[in-house]
Amino acid sequence: MARDDSNPEDYWQYAWYAPDGNPSERVPRPEELAELPEAWVKGLSGRSGRRGSSRLAQKVALPRDDSGRGNDWLTSIAGSLAKEIRSYDTYIELVRATDRGSDAPQDPQIVDSIANRIWEKEQAKAELSGEDTGWLRSGPNQNCIMSTKSDQQWSDFDIRVQGVIEIEVNRQYCVIIRRKRDSASFSALLSAATVASNQALTKWLANFGCTIAAPYTDAEQLKGMPNHIRLMRYLESQGAPPARVTPFLGWDNKSDAFLTHTGLILGVPGETDVSPFKGVRPDPAIRENDWVSCHYGFEADEATARQVLGEVMHFHFPQFTAVMGSFMVASVLKGQLDRLADVWPYPIIEAPSGASKSNGFMPMIQQLMGRKGRSSVFSEAAMKSALGAHRCLPEWIDDPNDVEKLKEILRLCSSKGGATKKGGADWKKNEKTVFVTTPIVSAESLNILDQKAYIDRAIPLSPEKPSKRISRHGDYPQIDDIKDLEIRYEDELSCLAGHVVSMILQRRHLVTPTLFRKFKAGHSGRHADKLAILQVGAMVLADILGEGFEWIREEVEAWVNAQVYNEGDNRFTRTILRQYIAQNELHEKPTYLDRWQVYAPVLLAKDVNGEEALWVNIQNLAIWWDKSNHGRIEKRTDTEDAMKGQARQLGMKSKSSANPEIGKDVDWLWPNVYKVEGGRPITSRTKILYQRVPDGITEALLSENTP
């Protein structure tokens, strides 16, 4: 039998043959085994690492007799395989492939019937009936458990352990439970504590419509070993390997898959449901404690999910939906983008009531990426848990109650920090939650973007009110389209999220270092990372939606080009100087401010070359800011020393740092003023140093206050 490279089903046969097609007793070469599915390799190699059976190879080499005795050939091969292979899934696939590769393949139902009959017969002979297994073994088709003591059906289900999770004293089994009546399979977690209690075990099985139905005579024979102990021994006898536990949902680099509560999204074409977990599980505490509310449904199909996604992208003004949609798509690809970017951005949405911050487009685009439900009001502890529970689904905080706590959270998110709390079995252990995502923050007003750490990472958006938007399908308000879609999907578009996430992940190969550097070109620092992340998301989103959605990339590019960024911009310029200018008249010369008992800290005067500039005395500005805020200032950013440090970051030059020959009246001013004693000026004069504010910042500040 020669190897047929065009037929993958022929690969396993070739592993038993030499290149000339003649039977061989050699062990398959590693490069040949690499071409086979892992389960088949294990079956061919044998459970104990023995060489493949030459007798089996000889049976396969015999021609198929289609004169009516062909089933004897298949029965013989199936019998040999059933003796060698413990896994039913591996066994049945090998039998099927053997038949398909023969000269006269049979009806698949006949093949399965023969294979199952042989499997059941061999399993009945297997030495799996000892006390260490609870006298239990898998029944036919692995859809029930048999009692070998009474030779009767012990349960209407079978349960196979894929891996074991051990976190401190909490032991859990990653299982596949298969129901007998309809062969339905479910991936689940079963704790050892649940198995140890008959009552808890009965309730757990009821969730899957399954029961233990041991006959009375069987219970008599096994007196002293209750059902739950028998099942525990059956589970342990399977010798499942330890399962790796991730502390969060979303993309897992090691398994190359997207972890959900119920299984894996692989990001491959034609995906119609989550795949079973394979050696990895998200921390069970995420679901048990409901730290993050998410769902990845595969209802309908990819075409429907694509159509709904395209419709939702029209449910607000184009630039707002393009930027937010691109951010959500990029978040799904965080596993690919994280290694390229130093920081991860967060949208800050400030808009008045009626701008649909929490209705229409906003909840819908998030539901299509996996969010279940809408935003909620968080306690501080719940917010921190949510930010550490899902890598690829940004938490949504709408109208936060405490802005100061929110700012602290944002600082920790930006540095990939976390929060520490007491936990463990005795609540004495310190447990740290690392923040693996950043939030989306929406409110009417936040006043957060006043420090460099926030400016660098924020995606500031101020959407207009969409209340007067007309449907693109007819001459009626767009809100009608939104309501129709909410009713159609019962206000829960996460039933399509599995398709959407899969389509995004199918394009993960587009995320390359070369492309990312291209999008960063022309920008600097962390600000550049933010803009590149958005543009990657826009590229993938436009590719998914196809023709007619080129505008997504155009709108994101327009938003990127409109961002005015000064690398040294900080609270000193964005908040303190801005508020002084808004509240006070600007003079050309120092003017004594009676109310504040300081000379005017900010001047608007021409330099020696006749160019108008803004000048600031930081000492007096710090006094004014402290007094106007009644001493309630941020010590980290608002003191005189802190302001001087921020000024240096901006490149502002003092008398000591400027060139003494050209600095005066160009980089700094040093005008004469009267001294003040007891709140009144006296005749003796002194000088006050004013530093020049960078011209670009001056232009922006003055333009905001020009009528």
Side-chain angles (χ1 to χ4, degrees), residues 165-167 170-174 188-191 243-249 261 281-291:
I165 297 174
E166 287 189 286
I167 303 176
N170 184 12
R171 184 176 180 83
Q172 302 206 44
Y173 303 100
C174 306
L189 281 177
L190 174 59
S191 71
R244 183 169 59 86
V245 179
T246 67
F248 48 77
L249 299 166
H261 284 313
R281 280 267 184 166
D283 189 338
I286 298 174
R287 190 169 195 175
E288 292 169 3
N289 298 313
D290 198 24
W291 285 339

Side-chain angles (χ1 to χ4, degrees), residues 336-398:
Q336 289 70 39
L337 286 165
D338 247 354
R339 65 181 187 271
L340 304 175
D342 293 329
V343 299
W344 196 261
Y346 40 79
I348 302 292
I349 305 168
E350 293 184 278
S353 177
S356 291
K357 299 185 299 297
S358 54
N359 293 291
F361 169 76
M362 276 295 291
M364 285 181 167
I365 192 64
Q366 293 182 73
Q367 288 171 10
L368 285 170
M369 305 295 165
R371 167 79 50 215
K372 186 176 182 181
R374 296 174 177 244
S375 64
S376 58
V377 177
F378 284 91
S379 67
E380 183 180 0
M383 186 191 305
K384 291 176 178 178
S385 295
L387 291 169
H390 202 310
R391 184 183 189 185
C392 301
L393 184 64
E395 199 52 60
W396 183 17
I397 303 171
D398 189 29

Side-chain angles (χ1 to χ4, degrees), residues 303 563 641:
Q563 301 308 298
D641 287 341

